[in-house]
Amino acid sequence: MRTIHTDEIIKNIKEMCIEANLELSEDMKRKLKNAKEQETGRLGAQILNQLEENMGIAKEESIPICQDTGMAVVFFKIGQDVHIEGMNVTDAINEGVRQGYVEGYLRKSVVKDPIERENTKDNTPAVIHYDMIPGEQIEITVAPKGFGSENMSRVFMLKPADGLEGVKASVLQAVKDAGPNACPPMVVGVGMGGTFEKCAFLAKKALSRNTEEPSSIPYVAQLERELLEEINQLGIGPGGLGGNTTALAVNVETYPTHIAGLPLAVNICCHVNRHVSRTI
Ligand code: SF4
């Protein structure tokens, strides 16, 4: 049994909120660089150049990559041999988010109530997904999610007979409908299986997977490749201004499901696909 104090959780979450908003992961940077080299659309290529320039400025001047610094999504995996000391864990995670967004001068985008819409002024609360894992560590991923692309995400409750063709048609429809509103080039997270809420969670989780690592399930890896190719034939392009880079990656996560259903979620992310992971 190992004891971890909530002060350590707060400190890490604070740093991760800032880090995630200032610099993309290495795989995302490489994806954007490769896209720039392969983009055939004139305007699309210009947009990719501007995105690269923007990322450089963000890094040099320690400012966010995008003005929309997102709602903080936190994946929090607790080792079953960890004893947490201090305050309530959910409060500690939110305190880390509060400190990160306030001290990091990140935009506060969260409202207290979906209808009354009063800003909480510190970007809390976060959306937290807890999980139990073996061991004496806590694995944390912080993924600030922009809402231009979040708003274009979809859940489809397909029938088993819809099969892979139904999945592909639905993902392509979601991307077509998203068009320029999702700030392309996008990363497309897909969740297949489970229940209504589980597939949405899987689609979100898919976005935080390394975009250079295909699924370990052969047919799913093939689906990811085919979807990426077909999405990039849609012609939406960077910024929605045409070109062959509509998506940088498609990540698909799966889970067992009920004999009567094929739940499918498509969580779209813009090119600012932010996520930082740490193990404490
Ligand atoms: S969707 Fe992404 S790129 Fe567009 S405004 Fe939001 S964070 Fe920025």
Side-chain angles (χ1 to χ4, degrees):
M1 183 70 74
R2 179 171 158 242
T3 298
I4 296 178
H5 197 277
T6 46
D7 284 352
E8 202 176 335
I9 295 171
I10 295 170
K11 177 184 160 288
N12 276 282
I13 301 253
K14 170 190 161 179
E15 292 169 358
M16 291 164 86
C17 286
I18 297 173
E19 196 183 319
N21 272 295
L22 267 45
E23 196 175 351
L24 290 183
S25 55
E26 292 305 316
D27 60 308
M28 279 300 300
K29 283 192 222 164
R30 274 192 295 271
K31 285 275 173 187
L32 275 163
K33 189 170 176 288
N34 292 344
K36 199 183 81 169
E37 282 157 15
Q38 283 159 22
E39 178 55 63
T40 51
R42 189 178 58 83
L43 287 172
Q46 274 178 26
I47 295 288
L48 290 171
N49 274 323
Q50 285 169 6
L51 295 181
E52 196 177 58
E53 199 184 330
N54 175 61
M55 278 202 304
I57 295 169
K59 192 179 172 188
E60 266 172 42
E61 301 189 12
S62 289
I63 53 175
I65 305 161
C66 183
Q67 43 76 34
D68 177 1
T69 51
M71 186 164 192
V73 177
V74 179
F75 297 92
F76 199 85
K77 295 184 183 175
I78 310 168
Q80 59 191 23
D81 296 323
V82 172
H83 168 243
I84 299 177
E85 204 174 73
M87 62 201 287
N88 172 288
V89 179
T90 301
D91 292 345
I93 294 172
N94 281 318
E95 178 57 22
V97 170
R98 189 190 72 75
Q99 290 185 11
Y101 275 76
V102 172
E103 293 174 33
Y105 301 102
L106 306 174
R107 196 182 82 182
K108 325 297 183 288
S109 310
V110 175
V111 293
K112 237 177 231 167
D113 180 278
I115 300 299
E116 294 175 341
R117 310 200 73 81
E118 186 195 340
N119 197 299
T120 63
K121 298 193 173 71
D122 58 9
N123 223 52
T124 67
V127 172
I128 308 168
H129 301 290
Y130 289 103
D131 200 0
M132 294 301 296
I133 52 170
E136 292 190 324
Q137 281 106 21
I138 300 177
E139 293 174 14
I140 309 170
T141 297
V142 173
K145 186 64 172 74
F147 259 56
S149 52
E150 190 74 354
N151 283 341
M152 307 317 292
S153 301
R154 304 273 294 274
V155 169
F156 301 87
M157 296 306 287
L158 300 180
K159 297 176 201 70
D162 291 326
L164 265 184
E165 286 314 306
V167 166
K168 284 173 87 171
S170 303
V171 174
L172 284 171
Q173 191 57 52
V175 171
K176 262 191 236 166
D177 292 346
N181 294 338
C183 300
M186 319 167 189
V187 175
V188 183
V190 178
M192 268 200 310
T195 51
F196 179 80
E197 82 285 8
K198 180 74 177 181
C199 70
F201 165 77
L202 292 173
K204 177 73 73 203
K205 189 175 156 210
L207 289 176
S208 64
R209 200 178 87 209
N210 187 323
T211 51
E212 293 175 333
E213 280 174 17
S215 167
S216 57
I217 307 167
Y219 91 85
V220 179
Q222 190 181 335
L223 175 66
E224 290 173 341
R225 278 195 303 277
E226 288 175 7
L227 275 171
L228 182 61
E229 208 178 302
E230 289 180 39
I231 287 169
N232 283 334
Q233 283 166 8
L234 292 174
I236 298 168
L241 294 171
N244 57 345
T245 320
T246 297
L248 298 167
V250 179
N251 280 0
V252 182
E253 292 288 317
T254 65
Y255 194 77
T257 191
H258 190 279
I259 48 170
L262 174 44
L264 175 78
V266 185
N267 194 193
I268 298 181
C269 193
C270 56
H271 56 281
V272 193
N273 181 30
R274 295 162 282 207
H275 46 88
V276 169
S277 297
R278 285 188 191 179
T279 299
I280 60 172

